[in-house]
Amino acid sequence: MVFILGIVLFALGICLSVALHEAGHMWAAKAFGMKVRRYFIGFGPTIFSFRRGETEYGLKWIPLGGFCDIAGMTALDEVTPEESKRAMWRFKTWKRTVVMSAGSAMHFILGFIILYLMAVTMGLPNPAAQAAPAEAVISATSCARAATTVEQLNDTACPPDAPTPAKTAGLQAGDKVVSVAGKPIKSWREMLAAVQVANGPTPFVVERNGQRLNLTVDVPRVQRLVADGSNNTTVKDVGMIGASPIQNTAPPMLSYGPVDAVGATFSFTGTMFSETAKRLIEFPSRIPAVVDSIFGGERDPNTPVSVVGASRIGGEAAERGLWEIFVLLLASLNFFIGVFNLLPLLPLDGGHIAVVWYERVRDWFRKMRGKAAGGPVDYTKLSAITMVLVFIGGAVTLLTVTADIVNPVKLFQ
């Protein structure tokens, strides 16, 4: 029941985001004096509508989007004689830019508000808690076992007869690794990298009780699920010694007061923007993994998800009582949609903004050459490119929705 409630709440959060996106366009357009004909949430048959002033407001049956109908968004749009003077394409470049980017701005504002409320209630993730151990100090020795799936990777149990190369070689809890195979080691991450490329007897220098000891660890090669620099996970043959670092004792979440939360939220918002940009850059390279998962391959948790998949993850988080993940996912989705929508590709808002500024720069050059300003861009000449991009976008959406149904991402094993 909680799982269904989580899905419903997440879907409602997405609907609110869509409503505010279109409201952003509408409010900005009205503020500049443009005529807004209609503001609707959803597509398909109309459930109800009403008119207030010159704008018709309403709700439609399919809650998968919405629209704000501004008179004369492009010069190709038909306008009545009374609408002509208030057609959007007649307004200054900066005003049209503000109106077109207002939808994404609403996503950013909503994401910030979500994070602020999270900061003063449940807290924000603590970067220190997620950082790798600073020093290569061993806390315990354990088995060096194969793990080729996420489930095996998360399984901390070790079979009784599992090899323990570190313990066999004499490594103990509290030992600080100084070098591996002659290479100086300054952090646990460096030690891990050195061990993964090792094979067979490997010299270790450790510091114990103020003294340095020379040990030899017989490093075995095992199949292991490894994350690369882009957070992709692949099965690799790596060296392992069976040792774990000192656990990070920093609290996973940090709570803030109403005033301190402002600065903390701005800082964390910057982090989320950085992660969003990274995800967008990686997006095309992850599509093949989505296709593979549809036909039985293991679903990489870092592959793109649709609204269906995001809602499912939200439901799982709610079911497990992990509301901080639920809220973070909702905030990150708003940032992602906001940034994605500003990409300079038609029919996205960013594509329309690019056309507007192309007209502005073109007219500036024409003026420098003593020529009159050119007319509005003929969108019919861009229709072929637009249709290709719409087709690609539709195909990607279909792929992610299909994958989220037949082989969904499961963050919680």
Side-chain angles (χ1 to χ4, degrees):
M1 185 65 184
V2 178
F3 175 69
I4 300 299
L5 176 62
I7 291 178
V8 172
L9 288 176
F10 199 88
L12 288 175
I14 294 174
C15 288
L16 175 62
S17 298
V18 172
L20 289 176
H21 176 105
E22 298 302 328
H25 290 311
M26 179 184 66
W27 291 331
K30 284 180 173 289
F32 290 131
M34 302 174 190
K35 181 176 181 180
V36 179
R37 297 165 175 154
R38 294 181 298 165
Y39 169 77
F40 273 77
I41 301 301
F43 296 107
T46 300
I47 299 176
F48 72 86
S49 69
F50 62 92
R51 181 172 293 277
R52 180 168 295 173
E54 62 184 12
T55 306
E56 180 185 9
Y57 302 85
L59 180 67
K60 292 181 177 290
W61 276 108
I62 306 175
L64 296 178
F67 62 91
C68 173
D69 180 13
I70 304 173
M73 184 172 178
T74 72
L76 294 179
D77 294 345
E78 293 186 4
V79 294
T80 64
E82 65 177 17
E83 293 174 336
S84 179
K85 291 183 179 181
R86 299 172 60 198
M88 181 175 176
W89 68 268
R90 291 183 178 276
F91 284 72
K92 292 183 178 181
T93 299
W94 73 269
K95 291 184 178 180
R96 294 160 68 188
T97 301
V98 169
V99 172
M100 292 173 183
S101 60
S104 287
M106 293 304 295
H107 285 297
F108 301 149
I109 293 171
L110 181 59
F112 182 88
I113 291 174
I114 291 173
L115 291 179
Y116 176 80
L117 294 176
M118 182 177 178
V120 297
T121 54
M122 58 186 73
L124 292 175
N126 182 7
Q130 302 172 12
E135 295 184 326
V137 178
I138 295 173
S139 71
T141 56
S142 59
C143 59
R145 58 188 174 80
T148 57
T149 66
V150 175
E151 291 85 353
Q152 292 172 345
L153 193 64
N154 292 333
D155 181 11
T156 57
C158 289
D161 58 346
T164 56
K167 185 175 181 180
T168 302
L171 285 169
Q172 299 178 8
D175 286 353
K176 179 181 178 181
V177 179
V178 178
S179 70
V180 176
K183 179 181 179 181
I185 299 298
K186 295 182 179 179
S187 67
W188 185 268
R189 192 183 302 277
E190 288 184 0
M191 192 203 79
L192 187 63
V195 168
Q196 287 184 344
V197 298
N199 185 14
T202 304
F204 274 64
V205 176
V206 299
E207 187 175 296
R208 182 187 303 166
N209 299 325
Q211 296 182 338
R212 290 197 173 186
L213 305 175
N214 295 304
L215 304 173
T216 299
V217 182
D218 191 4
V219 182
R221 305 291 294 182
V222 298
Q223 295 290 310
R224 192 76 171 179
L225 194 66
V226 178
D228 62 20
S230 301
N231 290 325
N232 293 309
T233 53
T234 55
V235 175
K236 293 184 178 179
D237 186 50
V238 299
M240 293 190 69
I241 63 172
S244 54
I246 293 177
Q247 296 299 312
N248 196 329
T249 58
M253 305 290 285
L254 294 176
S255 297
Y256 300 89
V259 177
D260 293 340
V262 176
T265 303
F266 270 113
S267 177
F268 194 74
T269 297
T271 300
M272 295 202 76
F273 268 116
S274 176
E275 287 297 314
T276 298
K278 182 179 178 182
R279 294 292 182 183
L280 279 173
I281 293 172
E282 297 172 350
F283 191 94
S285 65
R286 296 189 185 277
I287 297 301
V290 176
V291 177
D292 182 61
S293 69
I294 294 175
F295 296 98
E298 185 175 354
R299 184 72 185 271
D300 186 340
N302 292 308
T303 51
V305 297
S306 65
V307 172
V308 174
S311 298
R312 182 187 179 94
I313 295 172
E316 290 182 356
E319 185 178 37
R320 294 170 179 264
L322 301 174
W323 290 101
E324 64 275 11
I325 294 180
F326 180 97
V327 176
L328 272 176
L329 183 61
L330 192 58
S332 64
L333 186 64
N334 272 282
F335 288 124
F336 182 86
I337 295 175
V339 173
F340 182 82
N341 199 56
L342 289 178
L343 294 178
L345 303 170
L346 290 171
L348 301 177
D349 290 334
H352 291 288
I353 293 173
V355 170
V356 167
W357 279 96
Y358 163 77
E359 292 176 347
R360 183 71 181 87
V361 173
R362 178 205 60 192
D363 290 346
W364 182 79
F365 278 110
R366 290 178 66 89
K367 183 178 180 181
M368 293 286 290
R369 294 157 56 192
K371 294 184 178 182
V377 166
D378 185 355
Y379 271 75
T380 59
K381 295 181 179 180
L382 301 174
S383 59
I385 297 176
T386 302
M387 291 305 298
V388 169
L389 294 175
V390 168
F391 175 80
I392 294 174
V396 171
T397 300
L398 180 61
L399 282 174
T400 53
V401 170
T402 302
D404 289 335
I405 293 174
V406 302
N407 192 359
V409 170
K410 296 179 180 179
L411 296 184
F412 314 102
Q413 303 296 332

